[in-house]
């Protein structure tokens, strides 16, 4: 997989036009309700039904998808009073609360390994509520397979009827792969992430992973409007179609090369939701692996690229410079076709777009872009404490070779702000200032 950034230069012009169209109308939703959804009582543990038919979620671009049923379900959900935990407003609030976007919350299931599991369960209960509202528990959400280069517009049905959200920046027919805050994310990268170890792909107890901070965050901010902020995102029905594909990324990872999800304490992580009968339920990660326990699967998986043949660790000194690898390792870089740079324990402050680049001989070379979805459009970002991410970027072979040159330095810059926050780096012998715990190249 090679990344050709130059192919995206042409998109810059359309992005400018879109930005002009992308002002938020005054009719935009005021914001999340921002109350603690938990009732005073302890949740009732979810019990996996004994027999259930597994029904596939299919692509929103598959002509077989039943849009009438989905639109009727969302129309019914939107018609419920806000006080009903099944209502669209309550679903949005549920997400806002667990994003720590609300005063008093303090729980953020983002930017940690809770990201995949919490959203898998959120979609499951959301799907059951939708099904119950149209008396059809065979209803399944569609997925927006933005990993497919032919499907990079927002599924057009989501601009109609109860699926529409008038606040979006992304216009009907416009590619999601556009410039956002000066950078776009190459969605072709997604295939390259499937072979990763879980800590890189899905994060750890303290760090978010590559899918969350790459394609996931990018699609949020590129769609814009309610979707551009975590506290309003789940008020837009496309949220659930987008997250269905995020979940399909995890599903594809689980299916690949006998990957297994992390051991304890991961399977015991427990989340709470309202079910279709308005009962407050708890569900564990172990209850959602494999997903057939939740009576659904995906009709397709994301095909990963060629296997990695070599991992080359890179060491950084206290001045953030990369120590050149030993000659045998450099030799491995000579015939590289595809390369990824993997960064673990990278710390960023606040949210938005962050560019990572390698600085060499007075010139900066782009490595990749990190998207941390902002919490709220209403307030000053409340989360200025550093958050940790593990990310991978596909880079051209010549950039990989540059990374191994004497004197190369890795720099992280927040885009759209004059403020440059290099948060760097140390591996061996790291002490208090460590900001990246590991850096390596994987080459194919
Ligand atoms: Cu909970 Cu896509 O965010």
């Amino acid at each position: 997989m090679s990344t050709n950034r130059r192919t995206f230069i042409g998109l810059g012009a359309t992005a400018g036009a879109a930005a002009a169209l992308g002002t938020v109308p005054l009719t935009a939703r005021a914001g999340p309700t921002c109350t603690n959804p938990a009732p005073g009582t302890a949740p009732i543990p979810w019990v996996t039904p004994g027999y259930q038919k597994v029904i596939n979620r299919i692509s929103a671009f598959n002509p077989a998808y039943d849009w009438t049923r989905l639109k009727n379900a969302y129309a019914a959900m939107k018609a419920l009073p806000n006080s009903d935990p099944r209502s669209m407003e309550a679903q949005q609030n549920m997400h806002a609360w667990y994003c720590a976007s609300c005063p008093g919350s303090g729980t953020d299931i983002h930017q940690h390994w809770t990201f995949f599991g919490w959203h898998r369960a959120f979609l499951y209960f959301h799907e059951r509520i939708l099904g119950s509202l149209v008396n059809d528990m065979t209803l399944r959400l569609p997925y927006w397979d933005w990993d497919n280069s032919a499907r990079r517009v927002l599924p057009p049905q989501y601009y109609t009827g109860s699926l529409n959200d008038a606040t979006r920046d992304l216009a009907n027919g416009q590619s999601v792969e556009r410039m956002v805050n000066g950078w776009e994310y190459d969605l072709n990268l997604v295939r390259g992430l499937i072979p990763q170890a879980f800590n890189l792909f899905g994060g750890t107890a303290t760090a978010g992973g590559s899918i969350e901070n790459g394609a996931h965050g990018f699609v949020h901010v590129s769609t814009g409007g309610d979707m551009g902020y975590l506290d309003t995102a789940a008020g837009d029905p496309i949220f659930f179609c987008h997250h269905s594909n995020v979940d399909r990324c995890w599903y594809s990872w689980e299916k690949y090369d006998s990957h297994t999800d992390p051991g304890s304490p991961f399977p015991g992580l427990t989340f709470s939701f309202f079910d279709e009968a308005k009962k407050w339920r708890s569900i564990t990660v172990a209850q959602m692996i494999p997903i057939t326990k939740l009576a659904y699967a995906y009709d397709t998986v994301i095909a990963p690229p060629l296997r990695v043949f070599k991992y080359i660790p890179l060491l950084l000194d206290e001045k953030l410079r990369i120590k050149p690898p030993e000659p045998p390792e450099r030799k491995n870089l000579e015939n590289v076709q595809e390369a990824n740079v993997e960064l673990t324990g990278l710390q960023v402050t606040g949210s938005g777009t962050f560019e990572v680049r390698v600085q060499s001989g007075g010139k900066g070379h782009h490595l990749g872009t990190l998207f941390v979805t902002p919490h709220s459009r209403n307030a000053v970002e409340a989360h200025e404490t550093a958050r940790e991410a593990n990310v991978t970027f596909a880079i051209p072979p010549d950039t990989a070779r540059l990374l191994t040159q004497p004197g190369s330095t890795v720099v992280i810059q927040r885009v759209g702000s004059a403020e440059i926050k290099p948060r760097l780096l140390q591996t061996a012998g790291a002490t208090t200032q460590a900001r990246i715990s590991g850096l390596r190249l994987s080459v194919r």
Side-chain angles (χ1 to χ4, degrees):
M1 177 183 51
S2 74
T3 317
N4 184 351
R5 315 299 300 187
R6 277 161 294 199
T7 57
F8 294 103
I9 288 172
L11 294 172
T14 46
L21 293 170
T23 47
V24 178
L26 291 173
T27 51
R29 181 185 301 271
T33 316
C34 260
T35 55
N36 186 348
T41 52
I44 309 161
W46 176 251
V47 179
T48 309
Y51 170 77
Q52 26 178 23
K53 188 168 185 240
V54 173
I55 300 173
N56 280 339
R57 290 186 184 158
I58 65 174
S59 168
F61 293 88
N62 184 332
Y65 193 76
D66 183 350
W67 292 104
T68 306
R69 182 175 59 173
L70 189 72
K71 285 181 186 179
N72 288 342
Y74 273 109
M77 182 175 270
K78 289 181 171 184
L80 292 170
N82 293 352
S83 57
D84 189 315
R86 302 168 303 166
S87 69
M88 198 72 198
E89 185 73 18
Q91 296 286 297
Q92 181 196 55
N93 177 58
M94 175 71 76
H95 185 249
W97 183 266
Y98 290 104
C99 298
S101 299
C102 305
S105 162
T107 305
D108 195 350
I109 51 78
H110 300 88
Q111 221 63 38
H112 306 103
W113 63 4
T114 42
F115 173 77
F116 277 132
W118 189 90
H119 288 90
R120 176 169 284 183
F122 185 37
L123 263 62
Y124 174 64
F125 287 107
H126 182 78
E127 195 172 65
R128 291 184 69 88
I129 294 168
L130 289 170
S132 72
L133 290 171
V134 290
N135 294 312
D136 184 352
M137 297 308 278
T138 68
L139 180 152
R140 294 293 176 273
L141 291 162
Y143 59 84
W144 176 10
D145 38 349
W146 29 251
D147 49 288
N148 179 336
S149 60
R151 298 178 173 181
R152 300 227 167 116
V153 297
L154 198 146
Q157 287 285 348
Y158 279 87
Y159 287 96
T160 63
S162 61
L163 303 181
N164 190 32
D165 181 315
T167 70
R168 292 179 200 134
D169 294 338
L170 195 67
N172 195 354
Q174 184 184 8
S175 175
V176 69
E177 225 172 23
R178 64 193 182 99
M179 300 290 280
V180 178
N181 301 334
W183 292 102
E184 32 68 29
Y185 181 89
D186 180 354
L187 288 165
N188 291 321
L189 287 177
V190 171
R191 285 178 63 219
L193 303 180
I194 303 295
Q196 292 189 334
F198 190 90
N199 69 317
L200 286 165
F201 179 78
T204 68
T206 54
S210 286
I211 293 287
E212 179 178 5
N213 291 296
H216 161 261
F218 173 69
V219 171
H220 269 283
V221 294
S222 182
T223 300
D226 289 341
M227 272 286 278
Y229 302 88
L230 293 175
D231 63 351
T232 50
D236 183 342
I238 195 63
F239 174 95
F240 299 93
C241 186
H242 170 44
H243 267 277
S244 185
N245 204 49
V246 169
D247 187 59
R248 178 171 160 265
C249 290
W250 186 20
Y251 174 78
S252 303
W253 181 91
E254 288 174 325
K255 292 267 174 204
Y256 177 73
D257 206 16
S258 53
H259 277 160
T260 50
D261 286 289
S264 181
F266 186 76
L269 299 173
T270 306
F271 313 114
S272 294
F273 298 90
F274 284 100
D275 70 9
E276 70 280 8
K278 304 196 247 185
K279 293 262 187 316
W280 182 241
R281 297 284 188 178
S282 62
I283 186 167
T284 66
V285 165
Q287 284 182 291
M288 45 182 110
I289 298 171
I291 57 173
T292 47
K293 288 183 186 168
L294 303 182
Y296 78 98
Y298 293 94
D299 62 338
T300 60
V301 292
I302 298 166
L306 301 172
R307 276 170 199 279
V308 169
F309 76 80
K310 187 77 191 165
Y311 290 104
I312 302 172
L314 299 173
L315 292 177
L316 299 151
D317 70 15
E318 66 288 346
K319 294 226 169 100
L320 322 176
R321 285 181 309 226
I322 297 163
K323 293 185 182 167
E326 297 301 311
E329 301 287 31
R330 290 165 90 168
K331 190 113 190 80
N332 276 316
L333 281 166
E334 278 164 19
N335 298 313
V336 169
Q337 295 173 349
E338 304 179 351
N340 284 347
V341 59
E342 302 176 351
L343 301 93
T344 48
L346 181 158
Q347 300 213 5
V348 297
T349 301
S351 63
T353 305
F354 297 83
E355 190 211 357
V356 183
R357 63 173 191 274
V358 56
Q359 200 84 33
S360 183
K363 286 191 189 151
H365 299 251
H366 184 77
L367 289 179
T369 310
L370 182 75
F371 291 86
V372 181
T373 315
H375 282 77
S376 178
R377 59 158 77 83
N378 294 326
V380 177
E381 187 69 44
H383 303 273
E384 288 296 335
T385 52
R387 289 184 291 165
E388 198 175 317
N390 296 339
V391 287
T392 299
F393 301 118
I395 55 173
D398 51 340
T399 306
R401 284 187 281 271
L402 188 79
L403 267 171
T404 65
Q405 291 311 301
S408 294
T409 303
V410 178
V411 177
I412 303 157
Q413 179 174 353
R414 188 183 203 160
V415 178
S417 154
E419 190 182 9
I420 296 172
K421 293 184 174 177
R423 292 278 173 183
L424 300 172
L425 328 159
Q426 174 74 309
T427 44
T431 54
T432 53
Q433 291 306 307
R435 294 296 185 185
I436 284 184
S437 53
L439 186 66
R440 69 176 185 175
L441 289 169
S442 60
V443 294
R444 297 184 177 89

